[in-house]
Amino acid sequence: MRDTESFYHRAVRIIKSIPKGKVATYGLIAHLAGSPRAARQVAYILSSSWKKHSLPWHRVVNSRGCISLKPGRGYEEQRELLEKEGVLFRDDGSLDLTDYQWKPEKDLADMEDF
DNA sequence: AACCTGACTTCGG
DNA sequence: TCCGAAGCCAGGT
């Protein structure tokens, strides 16, 4: 059996476990789910079925700590949701990953170089 | 089966 | 530091 299904479910599970007030990058989620390079797939999962799994989609940002969504296509909504959880944005629209990025406990991860 | 597409990431100029 | 190109993964057509 291919691993794609597992990846999907693992990714969903990981996204669900992102605590309020924290964020995770696409790459980190992909990494934890077992495919370090599948960041795009994580994005796909969010856009296609965040509703289906009640995922906290707004807690996922790109590697620079910015919202990947374009203005008018969810950007403002995501930013608002995050601000409601206490996340502060800089003038350029980015947030401080060193403060907000979720660091999962060793349960889920078999991260090699952490 | 082949090609296109995307809420990404990384590297080189 | 900023911009463009290439690499990657999986779903949709």
Side-chain angles (χ1 to χ4, degrees), chain A residues 43-59:
Chain A
Y44 177 82
I45 292 172
L46 288 173
S47 64
S48 68
S49 46
W50 64 270
K51 217 165 193 174
K52 182 174 168 185
H53 298 285
S54 306
L55 302 178
W57 58 276
H58 56 283
R59 301 195 187 126

Side-chain angles (χ1 to χ4, degrees), chain A residues 2-3 8 14-15 20 22-25 27 29 42 45-46 54 58 67 77 84 87 103 107-108 114:
Chain A
R2 191 112 173 61
D3 200 44
Y8 180 92
I14 290 166
I15 295 168
K20 182 183 175 191
K22 290 288 182 179
V23 301
T25 64
I29 294 169
V42 174
I45 292 172
L46 288 173
S54 306
H58 56 283
I67 291 175
E77 188 182 355
K84 255 182 223 171
V87 176
K103 315 276 191 192
D107 307 338
L108 306 158
F114 258 161

Side-chain angles (χ1 to χ4, degrees), chain A residues 9-110:
Chain A
H9 285 300
R10 266 180 281 163
V12 167
R13 184 178 175 72
I14 290 166
I15 295 168
K16 276 187 176 178
S17 59
I18 301 173
K20 182 183 175 191
K22 290 288 182 179
V23 301
T25 64
Y26 299 92
L28 176 62
I29 294 169
H31 195 281
L32 296 177
S35 293
R37 310 290 177 178
R40 304 193 77 146
Q41 195 54 26
V42 174
Y44 177 82
I45 292 172
L46 288 173
S47 64
S48 68
S49 46
W50 64 270
K51 217 165 193 174
K52 182 174 168 185
H53 298 285
S54 306
L55 302 178
W57 58 276
H58 56 283
R59 301 195 187 126
V60 185
V61 298
N62 66 28
S63 65
R64 299 176 324 190
C66 295
I67 291 175
S68 284
L69 292 171
K70 293 171 185 174
R73 305 226 338 188
Y75 173 88
E76 313 210 341
E77 188 182 355
Q78 178 169 13
R79 175 160 176 167
E80 190 178 337
L81 286 169
L82 285 174
E83 289 179 329
K84 255 182 223 171
E85 298 189 347
V87 176
L88 301 179
F89 287 81
R90 304 198 187 98
D91 291 337
D92 64 356
S94 69
L95 52 81
D96 194 334
L97 282 178
T98 59
D99 282 346
Y100 297 118
Q101 182 163 183
W102 172 51
K103 315 276 191 192
E105 304 305 325
K106 46 267 178 185
D107 307 338
L108 306 158
D110 54 312

